[in-house]
Amino acid sequence: MSICDDIKRRYIRLSKGQRKVAQFVMDNPNVVATQIASEVGRLADVSESTVIRFCYAMDLAGFSELQDKVKGYLIEKGEIIEVKKAMPAKKIRKHIGADIVKQDIAGISKTFNELNERDVEEVVQLLHHSKRIHFLGFRQSAPAAFWMYSNLKMLREQVFFIQHEADKIAQQLALMDEDSLLVVISLDDEYEDVATSVEIAKRKNVKIAAIRDKKLISIPEPAHTVLIVPSALEGGATCTIAIFSLLHILVESMVSQNPQQYENYLGKSRSMKKSPNLIAIS
């Protein structure tokens, strides 16, 4: 069975993004046989990670095996595979770097074009006015949650990061009340990990802001405000960059509400770090 026949057989089971890759492979086998994965993704209007996931969905070890299958298919058809002259390694690195930057920009643009500006402003106001802020994110979401915690910790007081341990979660839930804000970051179907904590916080009238890659379908939305990061659905590094770009904007927008207030706190924090610790001996 040729690679194209195999693609047609599996086509109905592929995701929307993978189907775009499948159609591109069948329509442009010469391109697939001679280009790198990121270039195929760019031409097919999907991310490089989607191209790789398509390969796995076809039970292939990776993109190089896909190329071997496509080359075999072209040889069987009697077609000549156009082999481009090898580029110097330095030029290849520049070419790949340019493609990656384009993908990152596209992911960021997609995210911000689909965000509701009113929802973003509401989250900014909650960050600015809440007495206490708790950041919650486990597994793949933990780095983003910790990044927000680390940055806000330098700019204001009463900022907390919830660690993935039962006793730590319980301690922070005990601190929360109607003056608190719980920021929940849950990506890649991780919401089940944090659902119980969110439900307890909701019962305590804690304000909840959520950042996730898709809307909740099976249960009612517990958050007051939700920011969806659509590029997270594609996965990979592009998704990560889009999320951190959004978080950066939230922090900068919060600071813009009262720049002097945050600058004063930042200056105070820096001076405290520079001051030597004095221990009184009695």
Side-chain angles (χ1 to χ4, degrees):
M1 182 183 295
S2 72
I3 183 64
C4 288
D5 289 336
D6 196 17
I7 289 173
K8 291 174 184 176
R9 183 172 64 87
R10 299 171 187 254
Y11 189 84
I12 194 170
R13 297 197 296 271
L14 300 175
S15 68
K16 184 177 179 182
Q18 291 166 4
R19 288 181 184 179
K20 294 174 76 172
V21 180
Q23 193 62 53
F24 185 85
V25 172
M26 291 188 289
D27 293 343
N28 306 276
N30 259 298
V31 175
V32 176
T34 57
Q35 296 293 335
I36 60 177
S38 60
E39 179 66 7
V40 171
R42 185 184 71 81
L43 294 171
D45 195 27
V46 298
S47 67
E48 181 180 357
S49 60
T50 300
V51 175
I52 302 304
R53 283 200 295 272
F54 164 76
C55 296
Y56 295 152
M58 295 296 299
D59 290 332
L60 303 174
F63 184 73
S64 59
E65 187 175 356
L66 173 64
Q67 284 188 313
D68 290 341
K69 295 279 187 182
V70 172
K71 288 175 183 176
Y73 166 74
L74 290 171
I75 291 171
E76 285 180 8
K77 288 184 65 180
E79 295 186 18
I80 299 173
I81 302 171
E82 180 186 351
V83 180
K84 295 190 174 182
K85 185 179 179 181
M87 291 188 293
K90 187 175 181 181
K91 191 171 181 181
I92 290 174
R93 286 195 294 272
K94 287 183 179 179
H95 177 70
I96 294 173
D99 285 343
I100 291 172
V101 170
K102 287 177 184 176
Q103 287 179 22
D104 291 344
I105 292 173
I108 293 169
S109 297
K110 181 178 180 181
T111 297
F112 289 100
N113 286 338
E114 297 187 26
L115 282 172
N116 185 308
E117 189 173 339
R118 186 176 61 183
D119 291 339
V120 173
E121 179 60 26
E122 188 170 341
V123 174
V124 169
Q125 293 302 323
L126 287 171
L127 291 171
H128 179 58
H129 292 291
S130 297
K131 185 175 180 181
R132 284 177 294 277
I133 303 177
H134 301 258
F135 289 99
L136 175 61
F138 298 148
R139 292 196 287 167
Q140 293 187 43
S141 304
F146 190 78
W147 186 92
M148 280 292 280
Y149 158 76
S150 300
N151 279 270
L152 263 66
K153 186 76 174 173
M154 295 187 296
L155 297 167
R156 52 159 295 161
E157 57 186 12
Q158 298 291 305
V159 181
F160 307 92
F161 175 73
I162 303 178
Q163 299 180 42
H164 198 174
E165 299 172 19
D167 59 333
K168 305 290 185 184
I169 296 171
Q171 287 173 10
Q172 295 223 23
L173 286 170
L175 291 174
M176 297 182 195
D177 57 24
E178 62 273 7
D179 295 322
S180 302
L181 169 65
L182 175 61
V183 180
V184 183
I185 302 178
S186 56
L187 310 168
D188 193 24
D189 299 322
E190 295 173 348
Y191 185 72
E192 290 183 3
D193 289 356
V194 301
T196 301
S197 301
V198 172
E199 186 58 35
I200 294 172
K202 186 179 179 183
R203 288 190 211 132
K204 299 183 71 174
N205 294 321
V206 173
K207 293 177 283 293
I208 302 171
I211 299 173
R212 64 173 65 96
D213 58 356
K214 62 178 75 69
K215 294 181 179 179
L216 297 178
I217 298 174
S218 58
I219 61 173
E221 177 56 64
H224 299 87
T225 308
V226 182
L227 301 180
I228 302 294
V229 186
S231 59
L233 296 171
E234 293 291 332
T238 301
C239 149
T240 304
I241 290 168
I243 291 167
F244 279 94
S245 295
L246 170 59
L247 299 181
H248 188 194
I249 283 193
L250 292 176
V251 173
E252 293 298 326
S253 298
M254 180 197 77
V255 171
S256 70
Q257 302 300 305
N258 191 334
Q260 193 60 53
Q261 170 190 324
Y262 292 108
E263 184 61 37
N264 289 344
Y265 190 88
L266 181 60
K268 181 180 176 182
S269 298
R270 285 172 176 167
S271 58
M272 287 179 66
K273 287 181 180 179
K274 290 179 182 178
S275 301
N277 293 324
L278 301 178
I279 303 175
I281 301 176
S282 57

